[in-house]
Amino acid sequence: MKVAIGGPLKLGFRPWVEGLENVPAEGPAILASNHLSFSDSFFLPAVLDRKVTFIAKAEYFTSPGVKGKLTAAFFKGVGQLPVDRSGGRGAGEAAIKSGIEVLERGELFGIYPEGTRSPDGRLYRGKPGGLARVALSTGAPVLPVAMIDTEKIQPPGKVMPKLMRPGIKIGKPLDFSRYHGMDHDRFILRAVTDEVMYEIMKLSGQEYVDEYATAAKRRASDAAKAEKEAEKKAEKAAAAAEKERSGA
């Protein structure tokens, strides 16, 4: 997949990279990245010599039909691990377990602390469960990563991607061994996550929002629904008024 996908990506988009020397040549490490685009999980592995394993929603692996099988084969090929997100806390535990297993094999594990793509290009508050617990459980160093301009390649509603140069900045590894054995202390988990997010912010130059991206998306969705309902009511009122005038 590095040849079939990584090669064309590098040739077509020519991503620029800073900090490759911070990625260890061997041994476990966590790549904690901001999340701007669906393509982040492809550009980052494409510029590295080593395999990077990310977590993907289970639906990508279980969809029926020919398209579903091709999608599953694609995500398996690029090193994604399926995690069922419908189980609440159980889904989070499954993601943490998967990350730990990847690192125990001495491999690179990629994670998006925001938990979802940024809805507006800003950097949102990191979720303390996954990243911090995996880091403290394994002792693996955390490399902050900033994806630059990947959201501009294929904005929402656009079918064809725009050929442009995205960027990737990889920061120096962060060592959290001082918190060893404290992976269930919620204050420590919050502190570790915030430290990583601060480093990502410095690398990316993004505006920071002290709110979870999922909450921001939910609020935007609710606002859009409310606006649509208001438009429907206005249309009904206008139609009723027109009918009344016609009757008069």
Side-chain angles (χ1 to χ4, degrees):
M1 280 296 177
K2 277 190 175 290
V3 175
I5 297 174
L9 276 180
K10 288 193 289 185
L11 183 63
F13 293 92
R14 299 181 299 117
W16 56 268
V17 190
E18 294 179 4
L20 274 177
E21 68 278 4
N22 294 322
V23 182
E26 57 183 23
I30 301 169
L31 297 169
S33 174
N34 61 339
H35 198 12
L36 297 174
S37 167
F38 174 79
S39 62
D40 294 337
S41 299
F42 306 123
F43 278 111
L44 181 55
V47 301
L48 300 177
D49 293 331
R50 298 182 60 186
K51 175 185 176 181
V52 184
T53 300
F54 284 90
I55 287 174
K57 58 184 180 181
E59 292 90 324
Y60 287 142
F61 299 83
T62 57
S63 298
V66 176
K67 182 180 179 181
K69 290 181 179 179
L70 290 174
T71 300
F74 173 78
F75 277 94
K76 289 176 183 177
V78 295
Q80 306 263 343
L81 288 175
V83 171
D84 184 357
R85 303 189 303 178
S86 63
R89 182 174 176 79
E93 293 297 328
I96 291 168
K97 182 181 177 182
S98 296
I100 291 173
E101 290 175 351
V102 170
L103 293 166
E104 287 179 342
R105 296 198 298 265
E107 300 174 3
L108 299 178
F109 177 62
I111 188 169
Y112 301 113
E114 292 168 279
T116 186
R117 280 176 279 175
S118 170
D120 53 18
R122 295 185 294 176
L123 183 68
Y124 282 79
R125 195 180 195 207
K127 294 192 172 183
L131 166 64
R133 282 188 59 191
V134 171
L136 299 187
S137 296
T138 62
V142 179
L143 279 67
V145 176
M147 307 300 295
I148 311 292
D149 291 336
T150 52
E151 81 281 11
K152 298 176 182 178
I153 291 175
Q154 194 170 13
K158 297 290 184 180
V159 178
M160 294 299 295
K162 179 181 178 182
L163 286 177
M164 57 174 291
R165 295 191 71 188
I168 302 170
K169 292 183 178 180
I170 304 172
K172 295 184 180 299
L174 303 174
D175 178 14
F176 295 107
S177 58
R178 62 191 182 278
Y179 297 128
H180 179 70
M182 305 174 73
D183 52 301
H184 289 285
D185 186 316
R186 63 188 181 93
F187 296 105
I188 295 298
L189 296 179
R190 182 76 264 164
V192 169
T193 305
D194 287 345
E195 184 174 338
V196 175
M197 297 309 295
Y198 179 70
E199 294 300 322
I200 294 175
M201 181 185 69
K202 288 199 300 183
L203 287 171
S204 68
Q206 291 170 281
E207 177 186 347
Y208 180 75
V209 183
D210 193 20
E211 177 186 25
Y212 292 128
T214 48
K217 285 184 174 181
R218 191 181 309 115
R219 189 174 62 254
S221 176
D222 291 343
K225 288 179 181 178
E227 184 179 353
K228 188 172 290 187
E229 287 297 322
E231 289 176 355
K232 286 181 179 179
K233 288 181 180 179
E235 288 174 359
K236 287 182 179 179
E242 179 64 28
K243 185 177 181 180
E244 187 176 336
R245 284 196 298 270
S246 299

